[in-house]
Amino acid sequence: MQRLSRDDVRAEFVAIAADLFAEQGFAATSLDDIAASAGYSKAAVLYHFGSKDDLLVAVLDSHIDQVSDLIAKLETEPDSPTRVDDAIGAIASFALQRRPTLPLALSPAHDVAAAMAGHPDLLDRFAQVRERMGRMLVGGEPTLAQSVRLVIAFSGLPAALIELRDIPAEHLHGPICDVLRDAVHTKES
């Protein structure tokens, strides 16, 4: 059996931690839980990540990178009458494909937010990603009303994914798109 590279082991810990944090909550998940699920010792987890908070930062960094990659791809799409609707559809599909762990990344729960307090750079990255997404969807700087609605839509998306977890993704895609479309097409009040 071939040994995994250091990067592969780290990626495995990040994926398992993301799943367990999403299932059990950050505070309720121990490093022992993560190690056992990965088939390694707690010492191995601590070798790769100095603490549970460091592992959380790696999980959130991974999610932010995935969202940033999606935005970068969507930003390169040529202007067309359907560009915004296509982007909204892609964002909804992305969220639904990552349904189990996306709420952790988009709307950190209290225990996650408390752990992130010592990482202002991570909070800044969250804000930058949301701002880029808003500009991309609006086609420039959003109005105040659009900004408020986009923040509410994106902040509410994780709650919807959790609360409506029993509803099949194909039934949620349209309503998620409608909410984002309404946020984008809002006129200043």
Side-chain angles (χ1 to χ4, degrees):
M1 185 166 148
Q2 184 180 3
R3 278 186 73 165
L4 295 176
S5 72
R6 177 180 166 96
D7 289 343
D8 289 341
V9 172
R10 284 181 60 87
E12 184 178 3
F13 284 141
V14 167
I16 289 169
D19 289 342
L20 291 175
F21 292 160
E23 286 173 26
Q24 301 172 185
F26 175 72
T29 302
S30 70
L31 289 176
D32 287 322
D33 295 336
I34 295 163
S37 292
Y40 289 90
S41 68
K42 179 179 175 180
V45 177
L46 287 171
Y47 173 79
H48 290 279
F49 303 94
S51 68
K52 188 167 105 172
D53 285 357
D54 290 344
L55 183 52
L56 173 65
V57 169
V59 167
L60 296 174
D61 268 337
S62 172
H63 279 78
I64 292 170
D65 289 344
Q66 291 174 24
V67 174
S68 290
D69 290 347
L70 172 66
I71 294 168
K73 179 182 178 286
L74 294 173
E75 287 172 334
T76 64
E77 295 295 318
D79 282 336
S80 75
T82 63
R83 181 175 187 250
V84 170
D85 277 342
D86 293 345
I88 287 170
I91 291 166
S93 293
F94 179 89
L96 289 165
Q97 288 166 357
R98 289 155 184 81
R99 193 177 192 177
T101 60
L102 192 69
L104 176 70
L106 289 183
S107 181
H110 181 297
D111 55 347
V112 174
M116 288 174 48
H119 302 279
D121 56 318
L122 197 59
L123 296 173
D124 289 344
R125 285 188 66 208
F126 273 118
Q128 290 168 2
V129 164
R130 284 189 179 141
E131 288 169 10
R132 274 182 64 205
M133 196 174 302
R135 283 193 303 275
M136 186 226 8
L137 290 174
V138 172
E141 284 302 316
T143 65
L144 178 59
Q146 287 170 322
S147 293
V148 169
R149 288 177 186 237
L150 284 166
V151 167
I152 291 169
F154 286 125
S155 296
L157 181 55
L161 293 175
I162 292 168
E163 292 292 323
L164 304 172
R165 66 185 160 275
D166 295 333
I167 298 176
E170 61 270 14
H171 296 296
L172 288 176
H173 191 273
I176 290 170
C177 289
D178 291 343
V179 168
L180 293 176
R181 204 173 290 112
D182 289 346
V184 170
H185 297 298
T186 301
K187 300 293 181 219
E188 193 71 41
S189 53

